[in-house]
Amino acid sequence: MTGPAAPAAPLLTVDDLHVSFTKGHATVQAVAGVSFTLSEGETLGLVGESGCGKSTTGRAIICVDKPTSGKILFGDTELTTLNRSELRTLRTQVQMIFQDPVSSLNPRRRVSDIVAEPLNIWKIGTKSERRDTANAMLDSVGIDPLVSGSRRPQEFSGGQCQRISIARALVLHPRLLVCDEIVSALDVSVQAQILNLLEDLKAAHNLTLLFIAHDLAVVKNVSDRVAVMYLGRLCEIAPSDILYSAPAHHYTEALLSSAVEPDPEATRTPVILGGEPPSPINPPSGCRFRTRCPRAEPRCAEEVPELRTIAPDHQVACHFPIGSS
Amino acid sequence: MTPLLEVDDLHVSFATPRGAVRAVQGVSLSLEQGTTLGIVGESGSGKTVLSRAIMGLLPRHSATQTGSVRYQGNEILNAPNDELRQLWGTHIAMVFQDPMTSLNPVLRIGRQITETLRIHLDLTKSEAKETALSLLMQVGIPSPVERFNAYPGQLSGGMRQRVMIAIALACAPNLLMADEPTTGLDVTVQAQILDLLSTLQHERQMAMILVTHDLGVVATRADEIIVMYAGNVVERAPTNVLFTQMSMPYTEALLGSMPRISYPSHTRLLSIDGRPPDLLSPPAGCPFAPRCPYAQGKCHREKPTLVEGAVPGHSYACWFPLPIREKAATS
Ligand SMILES: Nc1ncnc2c1ncn2[C@@H]1O[C@H](COP(=O)(O)OP(=O)(O)OP(=O)(O)O)[C@@H](O)[C@H]1O
Ligand SMILES: Nc1ncnc2c1ncn2[C@@H]1O[C@H](COP(=O)(O)OP(=O)(O)OP(=O)(O)O)[C@@H](O)[C@H]1O
Ligand code: SF4
Ligand code: SF4
Ligand SMILES: [Mg+2]
Ligand SMILES: [Mg+2]
């Protein structure tokens, strides 16, 4: 039900992360001051609408997108200043899986070779040991290596390809796995298989997960804590069950009221959010949500609300959070 | 009174080099004016092919269509194109998943709406512009006068879908077919578009077929739902009945595999192994039999047809329907 007991030091600490891209003459502030921690064995969900900076945050953590400023600590290693060979070593410990499983797998290779590839690169074990490890990994994600190991990715369905991606990501036993929309393209019955599998693997390998998705129900299902992002900044972080039942940020509340549930009796609070997010090239001053916030006041335009703790494990970035009167 | 739309034993198959793909295998349904029918099913179950067959939009050379589709009592399946063209827009209109593929990228959106109006309604240029602006306003496009001159690429996905809806509604159709109208949009935009469709539908007493893979989208918005699996309708029921008294194991599986906000986190999901059968050679028996936890010998030999359940309007295709529960094990 709840996350593991609080361990000593976090596995991952993201501190005031900024990532900007230059687009012609304009600068896109894709991530603009994001901070959070992730404990060993924990799953943190990251939700928010398209373009809010979820993938950029994930890519900064695996050192693909270069931060403009801020710190990313993995254990006590500062990731933003690593040199190339240190980065290579990091790749064994931090892995990322993406939305489109079919295009992220080499179509010409056999799946058992795809899964063994990281072992070959790192020259871990003998050739036969590598094959055995890869086959055991395939087996643990529900793909029979004897029947299917020598087939190629096109011969598999989307769900099976995602299983293969997971096997490849886990074969080096990484300590941190970043999952970016890994079930978004899958049918619900297949999505359920993958979500259940992820929960099983997490328990078996004591995995730490950053689970990025836009689907609120999916994120709640797998996460111990959930962070809500809007236009490059975090609005709120809380244990899943608390965030969904008692949101403190007005954007979290609006997101939740927009979600649809497969239940005709579900009471739908009227959607209070009009319009669409503003451009990240020229974000609103102060609170970035103020142009759509039903509770906005003059102070919200002047002062950026910082994340602050309002209850154990519950942080919110709002001058006038819900429930604080 | 004849229903607005009646579909009887509709079959659609595609000729492919590997053989005939039997995409729709005997679907029947009917729809009354002013009501919403939800069509749900997973990818490849035949939802889009069914909607396009009803509209007469499938390519004649590769798609073989048999059965009957009657609109206001008139047969329209395999009707000549000029007859269908009279129906499109003015009687039946369609909104697709990806507005970018159905909007012309090099034409200003205002022009795309006025063109539809002028073709079907014989309006003057200025009347058409006035109507188009009013439509853009009705679908909630901010500053319609400026947006009138925008190209589709300059609008967000949600705005483009609003433009598609404006075009679809331009000639006040009796029936709107919406095929995954919100798939790929953010939840907040999805809610806006679904609310917009419901409002416009009620105002205009329009019938709507809402096609989706997401049972959540239709749960509070459809009067009746049909569930498709591998080209077949496997269950049909008034919305409340479907969610609380489903009889078909596939419907149960579909619902049970969906994570919900109302469940505690880390709730184990129901997961069914395997995947739907190949439509080139569908199994002889129940299409769900290879994955069904309740399958028995008969299921593999004989295909169940839709039979009426105890509740009016409820039917299902299953030899061993689920027992009726007091109240569904939801929430
Ligand atoms: N390489 C890049 N160059 C320029 N802009 C970029 C680049 N990558 C991302 N962006 C911009 O940064 C912002 C954040 O993008 P990001 O992909 O992180 O969002 P996201 O939350 O993952 O969205 P989605 O849900 O659509 O995947 C967007 O405005 C996007 O257009
Ligand atoms: N033109 C075609 N030629 C051959 N097969 C086709 C053609 N169009 C569709 N099919 C097949 O018919 C079946 C039903 O497809 P359809 O597009 O109706 O599914 P759907 O339920 O709309 O799925 P989705 O949720 O992915 O949109 C699929 O197996 C598809 O591959
Ligand atoms: S800081 Fe102000 S604008 Fe931002 S969410 Fe809170 S009340 Fe709304
Ligand atoms: S007919 Fe048999 S296999 Fe098909 S759904 Fe019913 S019990 Fe399952
Ligand atoms: Mg992304
Ligand atoms: Mg479709």
Side-chain angles (χ1 to χ4, degrees):
Chain A
M1 282 283 309
T2 48
L11 179 67
L12 180 76
T13 307
V14 174
D15 186 19
D16 202 25
L17 178 71
H18 286 75
V19 185
S20 301
F21 300 103
T22 321
K23 232 182 189 173
H25 296 292
T27 302
V28 181
Q29 302 178 21
V31 178
V34 162
S35 304
F36 61 85
T37 60
L38 191 49
S39 306
E40 182 116 48
E42 186 186 34
T43 300
L44 176 69
L46 185 57
V47 287
E49 290 174 280
S50 183
C52 70
K54 304 182 295 295
S55 298
T56 307
T57 304
R59 284 195 307 262
I61 290 166
I62 63 158
C63 299
V64 170
D65 282 347
K66 190 143 186 54
T68 339
S69 67
K71 286 200 185 80
I72 303 172
L73 281 172
F74 181 68
D76 39 26
T77 312
E78 166 61 77
L79 300 188
T80 52
T81 55
L82 292 185
N83 64 31
R84 284 184 67 157
S85 76
E86 289 167 330
L87 265 180
R88 252 176 68 87
T89 319
L90 177 82
R91 297 265 180 267
T92 62
Q93 302 204 25
V94 182
Q95 287 283 327
M96 186 155 173
I97 313 176
F98 301 91
Q99 171 171 354
D100 184 0
V102 182
S103 72
S104 59
L105 300 174
N106 185 338
R108 284 183 297 276
R109 306 202 59 189
R110 303 182 309 161
V111 304
S112 56
D113 294 336
I114 290 175
V115 174
E117 192 179 17
L119 299 167
N120 295 333
I121 293 174
W122 289 96
K123 303 193 172 53
I124 294 170
T126 65
K127 206 167 174 199
S128 79
E129 281 168 349
R130 287 176 208 161
R131 199 190 50 227
D132 291 346
T133 310
N135 284 350
M137 207 63 235
L138 271 175
D139 197 46
S140 76
V141 299
I143 303 249
D144 186 337
L146 299 178
V147 177
S148 307
S150 56
R151 293 167 49 198
R152 298 178 209 260
Q154 306 98 299
E155 296 173 57
F156 293 90
S157 67
Q160 288 171 314
C161 285
Q162 203 54 287
R163 289 172 189 267
I164 296 163
S165 307
I166 293 172
R168 184 182 55 179
L170 293 186
V171 77
L172 292 176
H173 295 290
R175 294 173 70 196
L176 174 65
L177 188 61
V178 178
C179 299
D180 191 1
E181 304 276 9
I182 62 165
V183 296
S184 310
L186 305 176
D187 270 324
V188 284
S189 68
V190 183
Q191 171 179 290
Q193 296 168 11
I194 299 292
L195 294 176
N196 285 347
L197 171 69
L198 207 58
E199 292 273 88
D200 294 342
L201 292 171
K202 183 188 158 193
H205 300 277
N206 191 33
L207 278 174
T208 307
L209 296 180
L210 178 64
F211 189 90
I212 298 172
H214 65 278
D215 186 311
L216 293 155
V218 165
V219 167
K220 181 175 182 188
N221 185 263
V222 297
S223 303
D224 303 309
R225 283 188 307 142
V226 174
V228 180
M229 199 165 177
Y230 184 80
L231 212 60
R233 291 184 66 89
L234 291 186
C235 299
E236 183 166 8
I237 311 184
S240 314
D241 292 317
I242 290 172
L243 186 104
Y244 285 79
S245 60
H249 196 283
H250 302 278
Y251 178 61
T252 313
E253 184 184 49
L255 259 190
L256 289 174
S257 80
S258 305
V260 292
E261 283 270 90
D263 176 5
E265 317 269 87
T267 42
R268 227 166 60 79
T269 30
V271 176
I272 44 177
L273 205 57
E276 292 171 22
S279 157
I281 292 174
N282 186 16
S285 65
C287 174
R288 293 186 164 209
F289 184 55
R290 72 175 162 83
T291 52
R292 301 166 80 198
C293 180
R295 180 72 174 75
E297 296 198 15
R299 181 179 169 200
C300 306
E302 287 149 20
E303 210 182 309
V304 176
E306 297 298 334
L307 262 190
R308 61 195 168 93
T309 302
I310 53 166
D313 273 342
H314 193 168
Q315 293 170 292
V316 65
C318 172
H319 297 307
F320 309 103
I322 300 163
S324 68
S325 72
Chain B
M1 218 183 91
T2 43
L4 182 69
L5 181 76
E6 277 177 288
V7 176
D8 261 325
D9 199 28
L10 178 67
H11 290 256
V12 181
S13 66
F14 293 98
T16 71
R18 298 195 301 138
V21 173
R22 299 177 55 196
V24 173
Q25 302 169 19
V27 166
S28 302
L29 59 89
S30 73
L31 184 63
E32 306 285 342
Q33 189 69 50
T35 61
T36 298
L37 172 70
I39 300 183
V40 298
E42 293 181 280
S43 185
S45 58
K47 307 181 295 295
T48 296
V49 171
L50 172 62
S51 330
R52 289 183 158 257
I54 292 173
M55 292 282 289
L57 287 173
L58 291 174
R60 294 280 164 84
H61 58 276
S62 62
T64 311
Q65 307 170 61
T66 63
S68 163
V69 176
R70 288 186 300 280
Y71 174 76
Q72 292 182 331
N74 302 314
E75 182 61 51
I76 57 169
L77 187 69
N78 297 316
N81 270 330
D82 53 344
E83 211 170 284
L84 287 172
R85 234 171 266 128
Q86 303 248 303
L87 282 179
W88 294 334
T90 47
H91 288 266
I92 311 180
M94 192 151 182
V95 176
F96 301 94
Q97 169 172 348
D98 182 6
M100 214 44 200
T101 57
S102 23
L103 289 171
N104 184 337
V106 298
L107 266 193
R108 295 177 198 276
I109 60 159
R111 177 85 186 280
Q112 304 197 39
I113 304 176
T114 52
E115 226 158 59
T116 314
L117 288 165
R118 296 188 68 193
I119 292 168
H120 294 291
L121 298 184
D122 195 27
L123 298 182
T124 66
K125 217 172 160 184
S126 68
E127 284 169 336
K129 177 159 186 185
E130 208 169 297
T131 314
L133 284 172
S134 134
L135 281 164
L136 287 176
M137 199 116 73
Q138 286 177 53
V139 298
I141 299 224
S143 27
V145 180
E146 288 149 41
R147 295 286 158 73
F148 190 86
N149 290 316
Y151 292 99
Q154 297 171 309
L155 303 180
S156 68
M159 284 298 153
R160 284 200 288 263
Q161 196 55 286
R162 287 174 194 264
V163 171
M164 276 308 297
I165 293 170
I167 293 174
L169 298 182
C171 304
N174 292 321
L175 170 61
L176 181 68
M177 290 272 215
D179 187 356
E180 307 268 8
T182 57
T183 304
L185 299 177
D186 277 321
V187 280
T188 60
V189 181
Q190 162 166 288
Q192 293 168 9
I193 298 284
L194 292 174
D195 284 349
L196 172 68
L197 284 173
S198 302
T199 311
L200 293 169
Q201 185 201 7
H202 284 122
E203 278 171 18
R204 296 162 176 244
Q205 272 303 296
M206 195 169 60
M208 181 156 76
I209 294 185
L210 187 54
V211 175
T212 175
H213 65 280
D214 184 351
L215 270 166
V217 165
V218 285
T220 57
R221 300 179 194 268
D223 300 297
E224 205 191 2
I225 293 177
I226 65 181
V227 179
M228 289 192 73
Y229 185 78
N232 295 275
V233 172
V234 295
E235 187 151 17
R236 175 172 79 205
T239 303
N240 277 301
V241 176
L242 187 89
F243 282 92
T244 55
Q245 301 171 44
M246 78 229 39
S247 298
M248 167 71 195
Y250 175 65
T251 310
E252 179 187 56
L254 198 59
L255 261 174
S257 63
M258 294 186 75
R260 299 186 189 197
I261 288 174
S262 57
Y263 291 164
S265 69
H266 303 297
T267 297
R268 190 87 184 164
L269 302 170
L270 183 70
S271 101
I272 31 171
D273 284 338
R275 53 173 152 159
D278 186 356
L279 297 175
L280 283 168
S281 49
C286 170
F288 190 52
R291 305 170 76 190
C292 179
Y294 314 102
Q296 303 186 29
K298 184 179 186 181
C299 306
H300 294 281
R301 290 189 305 269
E302 286 172 61
K303 183 169 171 174
T305 52
L306 272 185
V307 294
E308 290 287 324
V311 184
H314 182 193
S315 47
Y316 52 81
C318 177
W319 295 124
F320 306 103
L322 302 167
I324 292 175
R325 278 144 297 181
E326 282 296 296
K327 183 90 174 74
T330 57
S331 74

